[in-house]
Amino acid sequence: LTDYQKKILMNRLSGRINTRGELQLSCEEHRSQFRNKEEVVSRFAKMVADALKPVRKRRKTKVPYSAKRKRLDNKKKGPM
């Protein structure tokens, strides 16, 4: 990983990283230790891949005319 990617991971996974800079994962789904280790490795890979994906910007949408009209009609009627 590059330094830039490491900084991104530190920011996006900051809630899961302890004070020593370690990311701890555990799994107790399976009875065997080996399968639990495999599960943790696959989770780790998915977590890193998801954290490194670029964040999409939100696309602004227009408020529908019917919603505006409904809000104004309710405002005109007032609380009853």
Side-chain angles (χ1 to χ4, degrees), residues 4-30:
Y4 178 70
Q5 289 174 331
K6 288 178 186 177
K7 286 180 185 176
I8 290 174
L9 287 175
M10 292 293 278
N11 287 335
R12 294 197 181 154
L13 300 176
S14 62
R16 294 178 161 267
I17 296 174
N18 64 16
T19 54
R20 291 185 284 179
E22 299 169 342
L23 176 69
Q24 289 188 336
L25 298 173
S26 63
C27 175
E28 296 178 8
E29 290 180 16
H30 306 288

Side-chain angles (χ1 to χ4, degrees), residues 27 29-30 34-44:
C27 175
E29 290 180 16
H30 306 288
F34 179 73
R35 285 181 63 191
N36 283 330
K37 282 182 182 180
E38 285 181 335
E39 182 76 24
V40 166
V41 170
S42 65
R43 280 188 196 173
F44 174 73

Side-chain angles (χ1 to χ4, degrees), residues 19-78:
T19 54
R20 291 185 284 179
E22 299 169 342
L23 176 69
Q24 289 188 336
L25 298 173
S26 63
C27 175
E28 296 178 8
E29 290 180 16
H30 306 288
R31 287 184 61 169
S32 80
Q33 183 181 13
F34 179 73
R35 285 181 63 191
N36 283 330
K37 282 182 182 180
E38 285 181 335
E39 182 76 24
V40 166
V41 170
S42 65
R43 280 188 196 173
F44 174 73
K46 186 178 184 311
M47 193 181 301
V48 169
D50 288 344
L52 290 177
K53 281 184 185 174
V55 178
R56 287 187 177 180
K57 290 187 178 178
R58 184 180 176 274
R59 187 179 298 170
K60 293 181 181 179
T61 58
K62 191 175 178 182
V63 179
Y65 178 74
S66 60
K68 281 185 185 178
R69 187 171 3 147
K70 203 181 293 184
R71 180 178 57 83
L72 292 174
D73 288 345
N74 286 337
K75 207 172 180 183
K76 285 179 188 175
K77 290 179 185 176

